[in-house]
Amino acid sequence: QVQLVQSGAEVKKPGASVKVSCKASGYTFTGHYMHWVRQAPGQGLEWMGWINPNSGDTKYGQKFQGRVTMTRDTSMTTVYMELSRLKSDDTAVYSCARQSYYGSGSYSYYFDYWGQGILVTVSS
Amino acid sequence: QSVLTQPPSVSGAPGQRVTISCTGRRSNIGAGYDVQWYQQLPGTPPKLLIYGNSNRPSGVPDRFSGSKSGTSASLAITGLQAEDEADYYCQSYDSSLSGVLFGGGTKLTVL
């Protein structure tokens, strides 16, 4: 069965960086883009970007460009998301979400599997 | 404030019908990009409810339905049940932002 297992909670100081992981299993790792979505406490979902695990190509949300880096290790079937220059309002649960296509359009996809989420706390 | 606007909260009694709106712009829903809907129970990841505006994944009850018109989309839930109490999010793509968008979320309370 498809599983996305994320690393454990992190506590960081402002200005630091955090790198979180998402290990995929139960499907062909290189066959599905992986997205990262975050959710601040009591807030809504915020899309951060995607990575193509096959090519390593990435697309980042405008808000995060210059601060986020998504990478993958195909041998470990794991994707990583690193966020730098952390601020207190980066405190959130960070989740990976698998993309699956349902149509022929480039944007005809949904998120069918999600990781359990990682709480990243930024505090001095 | 999200580019996809949802009401912060809706409520209904068991057995009733409720709708949740998702209002976008010409750069997202109005441009023809599809809308997905997700249900999020407390402390759990979102679950796909509707994809491609009106399609239900297998396992999602037919009490849930989606529609889209112009720059807006709606999620309807009929025969409300206590277990439907959750947060609901719409999602689409925006060509101006060149990225995925989520609505701000709607908290459904079953009275």
Side-chain angles (χ1 to χ4, degrees), chain A residues 30-98:
Chain A
T30 53
H32 294 258
Y33 284 36
M34 196 73 79
H35 295 242
W36 286 89
V37 177
R38 76 178 186 179
Q39 187 169 29
Q43 302 301 308
L45 303 171
E46 183 173 32
W47 178 76
M48 299 182 70
W50 56 251
I51 181 167
N52 177 348
N54 188 42
S55 64
D57 289 345
T58 55
K59 172 70 174 179
Y60 303 138
Q62 292 179 0
K63 178 176 179 178
F64 301 99
Q65 283 178 4
R67 243 185 5 121
V68 69
T69 304
M70 297 177 189
T71 56
R72 93 295 190 209
D73 182 334
T74 54
S75 66
M76 298 290 291
T77 65
T78 299
V79 296
Y80 303 89
M81 188 283 297
E82 182 172 20
L83 189 62
S84 62
R85 303 192 301 279
L86 290 168
K87 302 167 285 187
S88 58
D89 61 5
D90 290 318
T91 294
V93 173
Y94 289 78
S95 300
C96 53
R98 191 185 81 159

Side-chain angles (χ1 to χ4, degrees), chain B residues 45-80:
Chain B
K47 169 191 171 185
L48 179 67
L49 273 186
I50 298 289
Y51 67 92
N53 305 317
S54 59
N55 301 289
R56 282 186 311 276
S58 60
V60 173
D62 59 7
R63 300 186 298 104
F64 295 90
S65 63
S67 63
K68 172 186 158 183
S69 179
T71 57
S72 296
S74 290
L75 173 70
I77 310 172
T78 58
L80 265 183

Side-chain angles (χ1 to χ4, degrees), chain B residues 11-18 77-82 84 108-111:
Chain B
S11 62
Q16 285 190 333
R17 177 181 187 269
V18 296
I77 310 172
T78 58
L80 265 183
Q81 300 179 3
D84 298 333
L108 169 62
T109 300
V110 181
L111 302 170

